[in-house]
Amino acid sequence: MLLLALDTATPAVTVALHDGTDVIASSSQVDARRHGELLLPAVDRVLVEAGLRLDAVSGIVVGTGPGPYTGLRVGLMTADTFGLALGVPVYGVCTLDGLAYAADIEKGPFVVATDARRKEVYWATYADSRTRLTDPAVDRPADIADRVAGLPAVGAGALLYPDTFPRAHEPEHVSAAALASLAAEKLGKGEELPAPRPLYLRRPDAQVPKNYKVVTPK
């Protein structure tokens, strides 16, 4: 097994290689505006670090969000393209699940929350680092304060809103190393991973202007 994992659902552009036993190379850069520019060089970097070629990869793991439309689709389209070119399966892993796994909290419940912008967070609750209790959702922190009161929390969204998440701590962003390790663990147990379908949860920020003038030739 050689898994290439990547995620662009948060400001982190993160890539890792996992050989079925351990992470053998990884790269993470935080830049919310340059997912498209940074992702492929990061893939090249981890391959060089591991001394491997892309055609050695036996599977692709990609974070499915939730996340902003523009950033999230960069990772998903890249993963699909690699899968088609190499003829290998592409596995989806919820980005929040990767953060929960990296938090390594043995006993819950706890919350994972990422920054959804618009003064909202993407979030879910977990029984432990491998067991999600609720579906991913997007809400204003104040609207979920009663539901998450007193729970430990991880992620950039939790760190941004200490009034709602007073027990927030790192990791701030997901790492592809955590995604790869979680996927390798599940695959090693014979578990099925979901298809790489994006969890947008809301409409993209970019909208078609209303009442625009249509110009057609006479």
Side-chain angles (χ1 to χ4, degrees), residues 94-116:
C94 174
T95 298
L96 300 180
D97 292 355
L99 266 165
Y101 187 84
D104 196 26
I105 298 175
E106 293 185 3
K107 295 182 180 180
F110 67 96
V111 186
V112 174
T114 59
D115 182 15

Side-chain angles (χ1 to χ4, degrees), residues 4-17 23-32 34-35 37-47 49 95 98-99 102 171-180:
L4 172 65
L6 51 96
D7 191 293
T8 57
T10 75
V13 179
T14 179
V15 180
L17 283 169
V23 174
I24 59 174
S26 64
S27 171
S28 292
Q29 295 171 271
V30 177
D31 191 329
R34 299 177 63 213
H35 292 96
E37 297 173 47
L38 297 176
L39 182 57
L40 291 181
V43 172
D44 287 340
R45 195 157 49 247
V46 298
L47 288 169
E49 181 182 339
T95 298
L99 266 165
E172 183 175 4
H173 301 301
V174 72
S175 72
L179 286 176

Side-chain angles (χ1 to χ4, degrees), residues 9 18 23 38 41-42 60 86 107-108 113 115 124 155 159 166 186 202:
H18 196 291
V23 174
L38 297 176
I60 312 293
L86 298 172
K107 295 182 180 180
D115 182 15
L159 292 166
K186 288 180 174 291
R202 68 184 184 200

Side-chain angles (χ1 to χ4, degrees), residues 6 39 60-62 74-84 88 90-91 196:
L6 51 96
L39 182 57
I60 312 293
V61 177
V62 61
V74 171
L76 287 162
M77 291 302 297
T78 301
D80 278 343
T81 301
F82 282 157
L84 287 171
V88 299
V90 181
Y91 307 106

Side-chain angles (χ1 to χ4, degrees), residues 91-153:
Y91 307 106
V93 176
C94 174
T95 298
L96 300 180
D97 292 355
L99 266 165
Y101 187 84
D104 196 26
I105 298 175
E106 293 185 3
K107 295 182 180 180
F110 67 96
V111 186
V112 174
T114 59
D115 182 15
R117 305 174 187 172
R118 303 184 194 175
K119 298 181 179 180
E120 294 179 331
V121 294
Y122 296 118
W123 68 284
T125 57
Y126 290 78
D128 53 51
S129 61
R130 294 167 175 79
T131 309
R132 178 157 34 92
L133 295 172
T134 60
D135 290 334
V138 57
D139 289 288
R140 288 182 176 272
D143 294 340
I144 61 172
D146 290 343
R147 299 174 63 182
V148 301
L151 297 180

